[in-house]
Amino acid sequence: MSLAPPDPDAARAWLREASRPHRRRLALVAAVAVADVLPAIALAAGLALGVSALAGGDAAGVALGAALALAGFLGRGLLQPVALGLGAQAAAGAKNHLRTGLISALVSSGQAGAANVTQAIEGVEALDGYWSRYAAARAAASASPLIVIATVALASPVAAGILAATLIPFVAGMALAGTAAAAESRRQFEAMERLSGLFLDRIRALPAILSFQAEERTVHEVATASHELAVRTQKVLRIAFLSSGVLEFFSALSVALVAVYCGFNLLRLLPFPAPEQLDLARAFFALALAPEVYAPIRRLAAAYHDRQAAEAAAPSLGAGREEAVDRPRAAALRYPPSIAFAQARVVYGGRPVLDGFDLTLRPGETVALVGASGSGKTTILKLLLGLAPLTGGRIDIDGCDLVRFGDLSASIGWAGQDPVVMAGTLAENIDLGRTGASRDAIAAAAATAGLALDLDRRLDERGGGLSGGERRRLGLARALLKDAPIFLLDEPTANLDAESEAALLPALRRACQGRTCLIATHSAALAAIADRQVRL
């Protein structure tokens, strides 16, 4: 898919491209929506036949007309829920596919900011109606009126001509209203993005806001953004009401003209010579079908805001969805590899975080990365984990380019500053490093990490009851259980006092033995266990 669409035409092209993987399911939904016109024709034909037979005293004709009308009524009642269910399924599959790709791109690029989070949630959700309702309604509105007009023409060509003539100015009026509504919908979605991003950023920065006593300023900013969104929403609704008025006017006009023509034709009171002479059955059939010309267009108008919302969301989704590189998962390494960074470069938001970085690790070597906060230590680890974008340069694993080598996650043991704790036993939490490990293997990993706790001890999702050092030992035990040939340790002793750090160092030293290991740290004591140190 392309990046941000610069205009409405490009937004529509982006939506078509996003729909392409699901075109078969969407085509089925559209076919069912178009097929809804068939029971409507049967219902009108049954009513016309029944009324005509009733007027002529034909009991068999009345029964046949009633049966045909009932079949049409039941057919329509069955088709509409089927179309809605298929549309919902198609939309769910398309949204899941798009959101998975978007989140994958955000994770691999490390750009999970407030605006991007909004795109992945509200932005993708804004496409639901486009796929579940609008796509099918558009197909029905394009084909069904023509089918109805052609069917009416079999009974009354003049009535069909009246319906076609009123349809032309209606389409022009709806096109003008739709153009204005699309522009306002884009502005509304931009206002919603700004409000969502602002609110999320202010929640994250709440301690700083309270510390600097900026509550009133923050409240004013949120209120201003909320007011802007309300104004944009009112403008969208104003145009929606206008387009609805245009639809109802032409719908009522066409039905009224057909009714007048059919009535005067039956009474032989037309002020001009008619090219046809209608009977009751043909006149009733044409009049019963006349509202069906605008019925699918009404449904399209009701779903038109779904298209506007989708086109408004498309530019942001396109801009946020940088294509994730689908790297093949490499087979797990059996021996510690060599790792070489050559002029590695990482850029976030136009600013280089890492530029021209060179480093070569020999197989089984432990290297400590030291330097000030923001110097790029964690970014280097994320490059190997696939969580940061390599903007320039290359990374080689045993002489093979990492891009071609594939996903390294199966060969990496990771221990960070704040390991995730899940509700469950200590053994179950350690087992996250290698699901399905034996009890003995879990106990050995815990012992090597120096985690002297009962493996059946229950933990909550906050890790309640574990000290900072015990949490870090838990993360180390997971990495040890995985028994990976590459170890990446991100500040494993951060925020520990000197005594706790000293107690954890022997376990870290044992963990690094026989593995290619990178340690990001500020601690001189931790850096001292490495074979060499690299200052950034």
Side-chain angles (χ1 to χ4, degrees), residues 1-3 5 9-23 26 94 97-98 127 130-131 138 314 321 323:
M1 294 181 189
S2 59
L3 296 183
D9 290 337
R12 285 189 282 272
W14 188 91
L15 287 169
R16 285 194 297 271
E17 186 66 22
S19 304
R20 190 180 301 278
H22 316 282
R23 59 184 179 275
L26 293 173
H97 179 267
L98 181 60
L127 305 183
Y130 179 84
W131 282 315
R138 178 182 59 190
R321 195 186 189 281
E323 291 294 327

PDB file of all heavy atoms in Angstrom, residues 1-3 5 9-23 26 94 97-98 127 130-131 138 314 321 323:
ATOM      1  N   MET A   1       0.832  -1.194   0.000  1.00  0.00           N
ATOM      2  CA  MET A   1       0.000   0.000   0.000  1.00  0.00           C
ATOM      3  C   MET A   1       0.868   1.247   0.000  1.00  0.00           C
ATOM      4  O   MET A   1       1.967   1.265   0.522  1.00  0.00           O
ATOM      5  CB  MET A   1      -0.911   0.022   1.238  1.00  0.00           C
ATOM      6  CG  MET A   1      -1.950  -1.093   1.252  1.00  0.00           C
ATOM      7  SD  MET A   1      -2.976  -0.966   2.713  1.00  0.00           S
ATOM      8  CE  MET A   1      -3.845  -2.488   2.587  1.00  0.00           C
ATOM      9  N   SER A   2       0.298   2.287  -0.529  1.00  0.00           N
ATOM     10  CA  SER A   2       1.025   3.536  -0.602  1.00  0.00           C
ATOM     11  C   SER A   2       0.986   4.261   0.712  1.00  0.00           C
ATOM     12  O   SER A   2       0.268   3.928   1.624  1.00  0.00           O
ATOM     13  CB  SER A   2       0.433   4.417  -1.704  1.00  0.00           C
ATOM     14  OG  SER A   2      -0.921   4.663  -1.419  1.00  0.00           O
ATOM     15  N   LEU A   3       1.765   5.333   0.772  1.00  0.00           N
ATOM     16  CA  LEU A   3       1.775   6.147   1.971  1.00  0.00           C
ATOM     17  C   LEU A   3       0.649   7.164   1.894  1.00  0.00           C
ATOM     18  O   LEU A   3      -0.304   7.032   1.158  1.00  0.00           O
ATOM     19  CB  LEU A   3       3.151   6.799   2.125  1.00  0.00           C
ATOM     20  CG  LEU A   3       4.282   5.794   2.348  1.00  0.00           C
ATOM     21  CD1 LEU A   3       5.587   6.542   2.570  1.00  0.00           C
ATOM     22  CD2 LEU A   3       4.019   4.832   3.469  1.00  0.00           C
ATOM     23  N   PRO A   5      -2.244   9.434   1.348  1.00  0.00           N
ATOM     24  CA  PRO A   5      -2.883   9.968   0.172  1.00  0.00           C
ATOM     25  C   PRO A   5      -3.007  11.473   0.276  1.00  0.00           C
ATOM     26  O   PRO A   5      -3.518  11.998   1.249  1.00  0.00           O
ATOM     27  CB  PRO A   5      -4.283   9.313   0.207  1.00  0.00           C
ATOM     28  CG  PRO A   5      -4.162   8.185   1.160  1.00  0.00           C
ATOM     29  CD  PRO A   5      -3.111   8.560   2.126  1.00  0.00           C
ATOM     30  N   ASP A   9      -9.001  11.763  -4.229  1.00  0.00           N
ATOM     31  CA  ASP A   9      -8.851  10.700  -5.223  1.00  0.00           C
ATOM     32  C   ASP A   9      -7.851   9.656  -4.755  1.00  0.00           C
ATOM     33  O   ASP A   9      -8.068   8.451  -4.908  1.00  0.00           O
ATOM     34  CB  ASP A   9      -8.396  11.292  -6.559  1.00  0.00           C
ATOM     35  CG  ASP A   9      -9.498  12.110  -7.216  1.00  0.00           C
ATOM     36  OD1 ASP A   9     -10.682  11.870  -6.893  1.00  0.00           O
ATOM     37  OD2 ASP A   9      -9.171  12.993  -8.029  1.00  0.00           O
ATOM     38  N   ALA A  10      -6.743  10.129  -4.181  1.00  0.00           N
ATOM     39  CA  ALA A  10      -5.749   9.191  -3.672  1.00  0.00           C
ATOM     40  C   ALA A  10      -6.288   8.424  -2.464  1.00  0.00           C
ATOM     41  O   ALA A  10      -5.961   7.261  -2.270  1.00  0.00           O
ATOM     42  CB  ALA A  10      -4.468   9.929  -3.299  1.00  0.00           C
ATOM     43  N   ALA A  11      -7.116   9.075  -1.642  1.00  0.00           N
ATOM     44  CA  ALA A  11      -7.720   8.383  -0.497  1.00  0.00           C
ATOM     45  C   ALA A  11      -8.616   7.252  -0.983  1.00  0.00           C
ATOM     46  O   ALA A  11      -8.600   6.145  -0.428  1.00  0.00           O
ATOM     47  CB  ALA A  11      -8.520   9.364   0.357  1.00  0.00           C
ATOM     48  N   ARG A  12      -9.400   7.519  -2.026  1.00  0.00           N
ATOM     49  CA  ARG A  12     -10.269   6.467  -2.565  1.00  0.00           C
ATOM     50  C   ARG A  12      -9.438   5.335  -3.176  1.00  0.00           C
ATOM     51  O   ARG A  12      -9.785   4.160  -3.046  1.00  0.00           O
ATOM     52  CB  ARG A  12     -11.225   7.069  -3.594  1.00  0.00           C
ATOM     53  CG  ARG A  12     -12.351   7.876  -2.966  1.00  0.00           C
ATOM     54  CD  ARG A  12     -13.390   8.259  -3.995  1.00  0.00           C
ATOM     55  NE  ARG A  12     -12.957   9.365  -4.812  1.00  0.00           N
ATOM     56  CZ  ARG A  12     -13.143  10.646  -4.508  1.00  0.00           C
ATOM     57  NH1 ARG A  12     -13.757  10.963  -3.376  1.00  0.00           N
ATOM     58  NH2 ARG A  12     -12.731  11.606  -5.309  1.00  0.00           N
ATOM     59  N   ALA A  13      -8.337   5.715  -3.841  1.00  0.00           N
ATOM     60  CA  ALA A  13      -7.459   4.680  -4.405  1.00  0.00           C
ATOM     61  C   ALA A  13      -6.850   3.832  -3.291  1.00  0.00           C
ATOM     62  O   ALA A  13      -6.715   2.607  -3.414  1.00  0.00           O
ATOM     63  CB  ALA A  13      -6.363   5.332  -5.244  1.00  0.00           C
ATOM     64  N   TRP A  14      -6.482   4.478  -2.181  1.00  0.00           N
ATOM     65  CA  TRP A  14      -5.918   3.745  -1.039  1.00  0.00           C
ATOM     66  C   TRP A  14      -6.937   2.778  -0.458  1.00  0.00           C
ATOM     67  O   TRP A  14      -6.615   1.636  -0.108  1.00  0.00           O
ATOM     68  CB  TRP A  14      -5.455   4.740   0.017  1.00  0.00           C
ATOM     69  CG  TRP A  14      -4.699   4.118   1.146  1.00  0.00           C
ATOM     70  CD1 TRP A  14      -3.357   3.925   1.246  1.00  0.00           C
ATOM     71  CD2 TRP A  14      -5.265   3.605   2.374  1.00  0.00           C
ATOM     72  NE1 TRP A  14      -3.054   3.321   2.442  1.00  0.00           N
ATOM     73  CE2 TRP A  14      -4.191   3.119   3.147  1.00  0.00           C
ATOM     74  CE3 TRP A  14      -6.552   3.516   2.869  1.00  0.00           C
ATOM     75  CZ2 TRP A  14      -4.392   2.551   4.394  1.00  0.00           C
ATOM     76  CZ3 TRP A  14      -6.755   2.947   4.118  1.00  0.00           C
ATOM     77  CH2 TRP A  14      -5.673   2.484   4.865  1.00  0.00           C
ATOM     78  N   LEU A  15      -8.200   3.228  -0.373  1.00  0.00           N
ATOM     79  CA  LEU A  15      -9.251   2.360   0.155  1.00  0.00           C
ATOM     80  C   LEU A  15      -9.494   1.169  -0.775  1.00  0.00           C
ATOM     81  O   LEU A  15      -9.721   0.049  -0.308  1.00  0.00           O
ATOM     82  CB  LEU A  15     -10.545   3.153   0.342  1.00  0.00           C
ATOM     83  CG  LEU A  15     -10.555   4.137   1.520  1.00  0.00           C
ATOM     84  CD1 LEU A  15     -11.771   5.044   1.449  1.00  0.00           C
ATOM     85  CD2 LEU A  15     -10.524   3.392   2.848  1.00  0.00           C
ATOM     86  N   ARG A  16      -9.451   1.411  -2.078  1.00  0.00           N
ATOM     87  CA  ARG A  16      -9.615   0.289  -3.014  1.00  0.00           C
ATOM     88  C   ARG A  16      -8.481  -0.710  -2.859  1.00  0.00           C
ATOM     89  O   ARG A  16      -8.692  -1.926  -2.898  1.00  0.00           O
ATOM     90  CB  ARG A  16      -9.659   0.818  -4.452  1.00  0.00           C
ATOM     91  CG  ARG A  16     -10.967   1.499  -4.828  1.00  0.00           C
ATOM     92  CD  ARG A  16     -11.068   1.684  -6.330  1.00  0.00           C
ATOM     93  NE  ARG A  16     -10.034   2.553  -6.851  1.00  0.00           N
ATOM     94  CZ  ARG A  16     -10.138   3.872  -6.962  1.00  0.00           C
ATOM     95  NH1 ARG A  16     -11.260   4.479  -6.569  1.00  0.00           N
ATOM     96  NH2 ARG A  16      -9.162   4.600  -7.461  1.00  0.00           N
ATOM     97  N   GLU A  17      -7.265  -0.197  -2.662  1.00  0.00           N
ATOM     98  CA  GLU A  17      -6.116  -1.088  -2.480  1.00  0.00           C
ATOM     99  C   GLU A  17      -6.238  -1.864  -1.169  1.00  0.00           C
ATOM    100  O   GLU A  17      -5.916  -3.049  -1.106  1.00  0.00           O
ATOM    101  CB  GLU A  17      -4.825  -0.267  -2.491  1.00  0.00           C
ATOM    102  CG  GLU A  17      -3.551  -1.092  -2.459  1.00  0.00           C
ATOM    103  CD  GLU A  17      -3.351  -1.916  -3.715  1.00  0.00           C
ATOM    104  OE1 GLU A  17      -3.925  -1.564  -4.760  1.00  0.00           O
ATOM    105  OE2 GLU A  17      -2.627  -2.924  -3.642  1.00  0.00           O
ATOM    106  N   ALA A  18      -6.727  -1.197  -0.124  1.00  0.00           N
ATOM    107  CA  ALA A  18      -6.915  -1.881   1.161  1.00  0.00           C
ATOM    108  C   ALA A  18      -8.004  -2.942   1.076  1.00  0.00           C
ATOM    109  O   ALA A  18      -7.978  -3.939   1.806  1.00  0.00           O
ATOM    110  CB  ALA A  18      -7.257  -0.861   2.248  1.00  0.00           C
ATOM    111  N   SER A  19      -8.975  -2.735   0.181  1.00  0.00           N
ATOM    112  CA  SER A  19     -10.069  -3.693   0.028  1.00  0.00           C
ATOM    113  C   SER A  19      -9.700  -4.858  -0.872  1.00  0.00           C
ATOM    114  O   SER A  19     -10.405  -5.882  -0.873  1.00  0.00           O
ATOM    115  CB  SER A  19     -11.304  -2.984  -0.552  1.00  0.00           C
ATOM    116  OG  SER A  19     -11.680  -1.885   0.240  1.00  0.00           O
ATOM    117  N   ARG A  20      -8.621  -4.729  -1.641  1.00  0.00           N
ATOM    118  CA  ARG A  20      -8.294  -5.734  -2.648  1.00  0.00           C
ATOM    119  C   ARG A  20      -8.159  -7.148  -2.071  1.00  0.00           C
ATOM    120  O   ARG A  20      -8.665  -8.107  -2.658  1.00  0.00           O
ATOM    121  CB  ARG A  20      -7.010  -5.329  -3.383  1.00  0.00           C
ATOM    122  CG  ARG A  20      -6.716  -6.186  -4.617  1.00  0.00           C
ATOM    123  CD  ARG A  20      -5.430  -5.729  -5.287  1.00  0.00           C
ATOM    124  NE  ARG A  20      -5.512  -4.353  -5.691  1.00  0.00           N
ATOM    125  CZ  ARG A  20      -6.093  -3.930  -6.815  1.00  0.00           C
ATOM    126  NH1 ARG A  20      -6.638  -4.801  -7.637  1.00  0.00           N
ATOM    127  NH2 ARG A  20      -6.135  -2.654  -7.115  1.00  0.00           N
ATOM    128  N   PRO A  21      -7.482  -7.339  -0.913  1.00  0.00           N
ATOM    129  CA  PRO A  21      -7.350  -8.719  -0.406  1.00  0.00           C
ATOM    130  C   PRO A  21      -8.682  -9.361  -0.022  1.00  0.00           C
ATOM    131  O   PRO A  21      -8.754 -10.569   0.157  1.00  0.00           O
ATOM    132  CB  PRO A  21      -6.441  -8.549   0.829  1.00  0.00           C
ATOM    133  CG  PRO A  21      -5.741  -7.251   0.621  1.00  0.00           C
ATOM    134  CD  PRO A  21      -6.710  -6.392  -0.099  1.00  0.00           C
ATOM    135  N   HIS A  22      -9.732  -8.536   0.115  1.00  0.00           N
ATOM    136  CA  HIS A  22     -11.021  -9.057   0.589  1.00  0.00           C
ATOM    137  C   HIS A  22     -12.102  -8.891  -0.484  1.00  0.00           C
ATOM    138  O   HIS A  22     -13.289  -8.892  -0.167  1.00  0.00           O
ATOM    139  CB  HIS A  22     -11.435  -8.313   1.859  1.00  0.00           C
ATOM    140  CG  HIS A  22     -10.318  -8.129   2.838  1.00  0.00           C
ATOM    141  ND1 HIS A  22      -9.880  -9.140   3.657  1.00  0.00           N
ATOM    142  CD2 HIS A  22      -9.508  -7.059   3.083  1.00  0.00           C
ATOM    143  CE1 HIS A  22      -8.854  -8.694   4.385  1.00  0.00           C
ATOM    144  NE2 HIS A  22      -8.619  -7.452   4.044  1.00  0.00           N
ATOM    145  N   ARG A  23     -11.689  -8.736  -1.740  1.00  0.00           N
ATOM    146  CA  ARG A  23     -12.647  -8.403  -2.791  1.00  0.00           C
ATOM    147  C   ARG A  23     -13.675  -9.522  -3.010  1.00  0.00           C
ATOM    148  O   ARG A  23     -14.835  -9.234  -3.350  1.00  0.00           O
ATOM    149  CB  ARG A  23     -11.929  -8.078  -4.098  1.00  0.00           C
ATOM    150  CG  ARG A  23     -11.044  -9.184  -4.648  1.00  0.00           C
ATOM    151  CD  ARG A  23     -10.308  -8.698  -5.902  1.00  0.00           C
ATOM    152  NE  ARG A  23      -9.433  -9.721  -6.463  1.00  0.00           N
ATOM    153  CZ  ARG A  23      -8.196  -9.934  -6.065  1.00  0.00           C
ATOM    154  NH1 ARG A  23      -7.676  -9.180  -5.104  1.00  0.00           N
ATOM    155  NH2 ARG A  23      -7.451 -10.875  -6.623  1.00  0.00           N
ATOM    156  N   LEU A  26     -16.299  -9.191  -0.247  1.00  0.00           N
ATOM    157  CA  LEU A  26     -17.054  -7.963  -0.456  1.00  0.00           C
ATOM    158  C   LEU A  26     -17.953  -8.078  -1.686  1.00  0.00           C
ATOM    159  O   LEU A  26     -19.070  -7.531  -1.708  1.00  0.00           O
ATOM    160  CB  LEU A  26     -16.093  -6.777  -0.612  1.00  0.00           C
ATOM    161  CG  LEU A  26     -15.295  -6.403   0.647  1.00  0.00           C
ATOM    162  CD1 LEU A  26     -14.259  -5.344   0.322  1.00  0.00           C
ATOM    163  CD2 LEU A  26     -16.235  -5.904   1.742  1.00  0.00           C
ATOM    164  N   ALA A  94     -11.384  -7.554   7.263  1.00  0.00           N
ATOM    165  CA  ALA A  94     -10.578  -6.488   6.660  1.00  0.00           C
ATOM    166  C   ALA A  94      -9.929  -5.613   7.722  1.00  0.00           C
ATOM    167  O   ALA A  94      -8.755  -5.239   7.610  1.00  0.00           O
ATOM    168  CB  ALA A  94     -11.455  -5.650   5.735  1.00  0.00           C
ATOM    169  N   HIS A  97      -7.030  -7.490   9.401  1.00  0.00           N
ATOM    170  CA  HIS A  97      -5.860  -7.541   8.506  1.00  0.00           C
ATOM    171  C   HIS A  97      -5.130  -6.201   8.489  1.00  0.00           C
ATOM    172  O   HIS A  97      -3.897  -6.146   8.606  1.00  0.00           O
ATOM    173  CB  HIS A  97      -6.322  -7.922   7.108  1.00  0.00           C
ATOM    174  CG  HIS A  97      -5.222  -7.979   6.098  1.00  0.00           C
ATOM    175  ND1 HIS A  97      -4.887  -6.901   5.300  1.00  0.00           N
ATOM    176  CD2 HIS A  97      -4.365  -8.973   5.758  1.00  0.00           C
ATOM    177  CE1 HIS A  97      -3.876  -7.241   4.519  1.00  0.00           C
ATOM    178  NE2 HIS A  97      -3.545  -8.483   4.773  1.00  0.00           N
ATOM    179  N   LEU A  98      -5.888  -5.106   8.369  1.00  0.00           N
ATOM    180  CA  LEU A  98      -5.263  -3.786   8.306  1.00  0.00           C
ATOM    181  C   LEU A  98      -4.640  -3.398   9.637  1.00  0.00           C
ATOM    182  O   LEU A  98      -3.520  -2.880   9.688  1.00  0.00           O
ATOM    183  CB  LEU A  98      -6.302  -2.750   7.887  1.00  0.00           C
ATOM    184  CG  LEU A  98      -5.803  -1.315   7.741  1.00  0.00           C
ATOM    185  CD1 LEU A  98      -4.707  -1.224   6.695  1.00  0.00           C
ATOM    186  CD2 LEU A  98      -6.951  -0.378   7.387  1.00  0.00           C
ATOM    187  N   LEU A 127     -13.188   2.559   9.400  1.00  0.00           N
ATOM    188  CA  LEU A 127     -13.403   1.863   8.134  1.00  0.00           C
ATOM    189  C   LEU A 127     -14.463   0.768   8.232  1.00  0.00           C
ATOM    190  O   LEU A 127     -14.803   0.153   7.225  1.00  0.00           O
ATOM    191  CB  LEU A 127     -12.090   1.239   7.645  1.00  0.00           C
ATOM    192  CG  LEU A 127     -10.900   2.191   7.502  1.00  0.00           C
ATOM    193  CD1 LEU A 127      -9.702   1.437   6.947  1.00  0.00           C
ATOM    194  CD2 LEU A 127     -11.238   3.364   6.608  1.00  0.00           C
ATOM    195  N   TYR A 130     -17.552   1.429   6.148  1.00  0.00           N
ATOM    196  CA  TYR A 130     -17.222   1.439   4.722  1.00  0.00           C
ATOM    197  C   TYR A 130     -17.303   0.035   4.147  1.00  0.00           C
ATOM    198  O   TYR A 130     -17.829  -0.162   3.044  1.00  0.00           O
ATOM    199  CB  TYR A 130     -15.825   2.027   4.530  1.00  0.00           C
ATOM    200  CG  TYR A 130     -15.355   2.062   3.087  1.00  0.00           C
ATOM    201  CD1 TYR A 130     -15.716   3.103   2.254  1.00  0.00           C
ATOM    202  CD2 TYR A 130     -14.556   1.048   2.574  1.00  0.00           C
ATOM    203  CE1 TYR A 130     -15.298   3.141   0.928  1.00  0.00           C
ATOM    204  CE2 TYR A 130     -14.138   1.064   1.253  1.00  0.00           C
ATOM    205  CZ  TYR A 130     -14.505   2.115   0.435  1.00  0.00           C
ATOM    206  OH  TYR A 130     -14.088   2.133  -0.876  1.00  0.00           O
ATOM    207  N   TRP A 131     -16.761  -0.936   4.892  1.00  0.00           N
ATOM    208  CA  TRP A 131     -16.759  -2.312   4.409  1.00  0.00           C
ATOM    209  C   TRP A 131     -18.058  -3.050   4.703  1.00  0.00           C
ATOM    210  O   TRP A 131     -18.509  -3.864   3.907  1.00  0.00           O
ATOM    211  CB  TRP A 131     -15.574  -3.070   4.993  1.00  0.00           C
ATOM    212  CG  TRP A 131     -14.281  -2.757   4.310  1.00  0.00           C
ATOM    213  CD1 TRP A 131     -14.068  -2.679   2.963  1.00  0.00           C
ATOM    214  CD2 TRP A 131     -13.026  -2.477   4.926  1.00  0.00           C
ATOM    215  NE1 TRP A 131     -12.748  -2.353   2.708  1.00  0.00           N
ATOM    216  CE2 TRP A 131     -12.084  -2.229   3.896  1.00  0.00           C
ATOM    217  CE3 TRP A 131     -12.594  -2.394   6.233  1.00  0.00           C
ATOM    218  CZ2 TRP A 131     -10.751  -1.931   4.145  1.00  0.00           C
ATOM    219  CZ3 TRP A 131     -11.267  -2.092   6.491  1.00  0.00           C
ATOM    220  CH2 TRP A 131     -10.354  -1.862   5.447  1.00  0.00           C
ATOM    221  N   ARG A 138     -23.355   0.850  -2.112  1.00  0.00           N
ATOM    222  CA  ARG A 138     -22.937   1.501  -3.360  1.00  0.00           C
ATOM    223  C   ARG A 138     -23.233   0.600  -4.559  1.00  0.00           C
ATOM    224  O   ARG A 138     -23.740   1.071  -5.598  1.00  0.00           O
ATOM    225  CB  ARG A 138     -21.446   1.817  -3.298  1.00  0.00           C
ATOM    226  CG  ARG A 138     -20.892   2.459  -4.559  1.00  0.00           C
ATOM    227  CD  ARG A 138     -19.405   2.691  -4.415  1.00  0.00           C
ATOM    228  NE  ARG A 138     -18.698   1.438  -4.158  1.00  0.00           N
ATOM    229  CZ  ARG A 138     -17.422   1.380  -3.797  1.00  0.00           C
ATOM    230  NH1 ARG A 138     -16.716   2.483  -3.648  1.00  0.00           N
ATOM    231  NH2 ARG A 138     -16.848   0.204  -3.594  1.00  0.00           N
ATOM    232  N   ALA A 314      -8.306   7.690   5.880  1.00  0.00           N
ATOM    233  CA  ALA A 314      -7.326   7.067   4.993  1.00  0.00           C
ATOM    234  C   ALA A 314      -5.983   7.788   4.950  1.00  0.00           C
ATOM    235  O   ALA A 314      -4.937   7.132   5.006  1.00  0.00           O
ATOM    236  CB  ALA A 314      -7.902   6.931   3.583  1.00  0.00           C
ATOM    237  N   ARG A 321       1.085   3.923   8.242  1.00  0.00           N
ATOM    238  CA  ARG A 321       1.357   2.521   7.950  1.00  0.00           C
ATOM    239  C   ARG A 321       2.574   2.384   7.055  1.00  0.00           C
ATOM    240  O   ARG A 321       2.466   2.067   5.889  1.00  0.00           O
ATOM    241  CB  ARG A 321       0.141   1.878   7.279  1.00  0.00           C
ATOM    242  CG  ARG A 321       0.216   0.362   7.274  1.00  0.00           C
ATOM    243  CD  ARG A 321      -0.931  -0.231   6.487  1.00  0.00           C
ATOM    244  NE  ARG A 321      -1.024  -1.654   6.631  1.00  0.00           N
ATOM    245  CZ  ARG A 321      -0.257  -2.525   5.994  1.00  0.00           C
ATOM    246  NH1 ARG A 321       0.661  -2.100   5.161  1.00  0.00           N
ATOM    247  NH2 ARG A 321      -0.398  -3.814   6.186  1.00  0.00           N
ATOM    248  N   GLU A 323       5.335   0.361   5.614  1.00  0.00           N
ATOM    249  CA  GLU A 323       5.318  -1.082   5.429  1.00  0.00           C
ATOM    250  C   GLU A 323       6.345  -1.780   6.313  1.00  0.00           C
ATOM    251  O   GLU A 323       7.520  -1.440   6.314  1.00  0.00           O
ATOM    252  CB  GLU A 323       5.623  -1.419   3.959  1.00  0.00           C
ATOM    253  CG  GLU A 323       4.530  -1.017   3.010  1.00  0.00           C
ATOM    254  CD  GLU A 323       3.261  -1.813   3.253  1.00  0.00           C
ATOM    255  OE1 GLU A 323       3.366  -2.983   3.647  1.00  0.00           O
ATOM    256  OE2 GLU A 323       2.185  -1.251   3.058  1.00  0.00           O
TER     257      GLU A 323
END
